Amino acid sequence: MINTILLFPIIACLLMFIIRNKTFDCFMVNAYAIVHSVITTLLALNIGRETSQPYFAVDNTNLIFLIVLSLVFLMVAFYNNGYVKTFEYPDRRIRNYSMMILIFVLAMTGTILSTDLGIAWVLVEATTLSSAYLIYFNKTKHAIEAAWKYVFICSIGIALAFVGIILLNISTGSVNTLNFAHLYRCASSFDHNWLTLAFVFMLFGFGAKMGLAPIHFWLPDAHSEAPSPISALLSATLLNSAFLVIVRVFKIMTLADCTGYARFMLFIMGFISLFVTAVFVYHIRNYKRMLAYSSIENMGILAIGTALGGFAYYAVILHLIGHSLAKASFFLTSGNVLELYGTKRIKSVSGLMKADGKTAWLWILSFLAICAFPTSVLFISEFIMIKTMILQGHYLLCVLFVLLLTIVLYGIGKVVLKMAFGDLSSDKEKLVNENKSKVSRIMYIPQFIMLIIVFTLGVYIPPFLNNIIKCAIAGF
């Protein structure tokens, strides 16, 4: 199973390079999305796990991350069928776009399935190299700047993570391995001084990839300049992959009895992420950039939930699922808005409800989902985190948490409502009518599916999924 999911995109890229047909390129992206989903489903049903490779395996911790990646990729691939029809680029450029999507998803899949910290580090860097082209795809001035900033900052982050791995290896003493299972077994014997220093470097290194402040600077530019399907993958799956590596390292700290220090660092970076979003959300002129800052906020919430521990771990997994689906829906819908209005500027978009009712409702529902409006599953996750803070006596942190979330909610809500219900000028109406043909039916369906899941999980979590979430908590 795992051999197939890892080798398929490599073979597909070779075939795409030989055949060189735009229709075939789109077919291979869809084929990989379907194969990825089928294999992930089988692995979730415990079919084929025994054939795992020594460096890649499915366990209780990474299974939920793999399921989220597979579902989001399937929805993005479906949306992408309509999106690529709007491209007016040479076939070669579209082929490179499709190939890089496959390599990007392969790198994220490998990062999630990796059983070795060294392999995970290599594949995290592979996600940077493959997605840099996708960010640069439109080849505008801002896209080039975003791609360079992305490569530069993430490369620095990866370098810091590498230093952290070296320091971790020093702390292990005679334990000469980076295999997670071996590190967990021997963690109690690690040198605490070297280990805590290693955690700082790895948290900042992989945290840069996760989008945690204050090493988040690449994220707003990259998410706003990338094509909308790529923005959805960056926000809904790439950040999760980096977060999983941090979770793995956090467990080493827990088993080594250095939990207090690790929790403190996660609290700091989590609240800084919320604060940065609360400050910048009121000064944003680009609606895709606004969604990018929302991702920084939600990564901060995941860090805070991890720092809280206990029942908050359950909330972290729920929040990860809800954010991934809601934010993917939000970014894909922003692609519809961009096709209709031809601009990313907030002040240039209004009257969306009159221009395209389906896109307007998707825009509003995506906002309600991401802002934790009942019955969004994010309402449950944030409620559990607030309850945990109160039970643990973190009253000031609880007040700050709620205050920052409220500020962000108001900032995003103001923009969403203005865009949806504002006046539609005659010039804009003419432009929208000319561009409506670019938004095909298949560019609405994935968002509706993901939003239905988000709002349903806020009311009912199937026992099968609940068991997977409970098993994943053991990885913390």
Side-chain angles (χ1 to χ4, degrees), residues 102-176:
L102 295 179
I103 299 301
F104 182 38
V105 175
L106 168 62
M108 290 189 289
T109 303
T111 301
I112 290 171
L113 295 177
S114 175
T115 61
D116 185 277
L117 181 57
I119 300 296
W121 178 85
V122 171
L123 290 169
V124 168
E125 177 63 7
T127 63
T128 302
L129 298 176
S130 56
S131 55
Y133 175 82
L134 297 170
I135 294 169
Y136 165 70
F137 179 73
N138 290 321
K139 296 188 177 181
T140 63
K141 176 184 176 181
H142 294 297
I144 294 172
E145 290 176 356
W148 274 111
K149 183 182 290 187
Y150 173 61
V151 172
F152 180 71
I153 294 177
C154 288
S155 295
I156 292 175
I158 287 298
L160 292 174
F162 184 69
V163 173
I165 292 172
I166 294 174
L167 295 173
L168 172 64
N169 192 255
I170 294 173
S171 73
T172 62
S174 59
V175 181
N176 191 23

Side-chain angles (χ1 to χ4, degrees), residues 36-319:
H36 202 290
S37 299
V38 171
I39 291 178
T40 299
T41 302
L42 293 174
L43 291 172
L45 295 172
N46 205 25
I47 299 174
R49 290 199 197 184
E50 67 279 359
T51 60
S52 300
Q53 293 296 318
Y55 295 107
F56 300 97
V58 175
D59 56 35
N60 291 334
T61 306
N62 64 15
L63 178 58
I64 191 65
F65 288 81
L66 184 65
I67 292 172
V68 171
L69 169 61
S70 187
L71 178 57
V72 171
F73 178 41
L74 182 64
M75 295 295 102
V76 168
F78 191 68
Y79 177 92
N80 190 63
N81 292 325
Y83 189 79
V84 294
K85 292 179 181 179
T86 65
F87 287 170
E88 297 179 355
Y89 302 126
D91 288 355
R92 178 181 178 184
R93 192 163 161 190
I94 297 175
R95 181 174 66 253
N96 292 339
Y97 169 81
S98 300
M99 290 172 65
M100 283 303 171
I101 289 178
L102 295 179
I103 299 301
F104 182 38
V105 175
L106 168 62
M108 290 189 289
T109 303
T111 301
I112 290 171
L113 295 177
S114 175
T115 61
D116 185 277
L117 181 57
I119 300 296
W121 178 85
V122 171
L123 290 169
V124 168
E125 177 63 7
T127 63
T128 302
L129 298 176
S130 56
S131 55
Y133 175 82
L134 297 170
I135 294 169
Y136 165 70
F137 179 73
N138 290 321
K139 296 188 177 181
T140 63
K141 176 184 176 181
H142 294 297
I144 294 172
E145 290 176 356
W148 274 111
K149 183 182 290 187
Y150 173 61
V151 172
F152 180 71
I153 294 177
C154 288
S155 295
I156 292 175
I158 287 298
L160 292 174
F162 184 69
V163 173
I165 292 172
I166 294 174
L167 295 173
L168 172 64
N169 192 255
I170 294 173
S171 73
T172 62
S174 59
V175 181
N176 191 23
T177 181
L178 289 176
N179 181 273
F180 288 120
H182 292 167
L183 292 173
Y184 294 159
R185 284 198 296 268
C186 304
S188 58
S189 64
F190 293 173
D191 184 283
H192 286 194
N193 294 326
W194 286 111
L195 184 60
T196 52
L197 187 60
F199 181 77
V200 173
F201 277 92
M202 283 189 281
L203 179 60
F204 272 81
F206 292 115
K209 197 72 179 183
M210 182 181 168
L212 289 174
I215 24 81
H216 66 283
F217 302 106
W218 66 270
L219 194 148
D221 296 280
H223 285 49
S224 63
E225 294 303 325
S228 294
I230 307 308
S231 298
L233 287 175
L234 287 169
S235 184
T237 57
L238 175 61
L239 307 186
N240 293 347
S241 303
F243 176 56
L244 176 61
V245 180
I246 292 175
V247 168
R248 301 282 201 189
V249 177
F250 178 75
K251 185 171 183 179
I252 297 174
M253 297 292 288
T254 301
L255 295 173
D257 198 26
C258 296
T259 313
Y261 179 80
R263 293 185 192 279
F264 174 76
M265 291 299 300
L266 286 170
F267 266 132
I268 293 295
M269 296 188 73
F271 276 101
I272 291 176
S273 298
L274 263 64
F275 177 76
V276 166
T277 304
V279 171
F280 283 93
V281 77
Y282 288 91
H283 304 282
I284 297 174
R285 301 176 181 177
N286 180 321
Y287 54 82
K288 286 191 69 178
R289 195 176 182 88
M290 175 188 71
L291 301 185
Y293 272 102
S294 174
S295 295
I296 296 171
E297 172 212 4
N298 282 278
M299 291 303 104
I301 293 174
L302 293 182
I304 291 170
T306 305
L308 287 170
F311 193 45
Y313 289 150
Y314 189 87
V316 167
I317 301 299
L318 281 183
H319 199 88

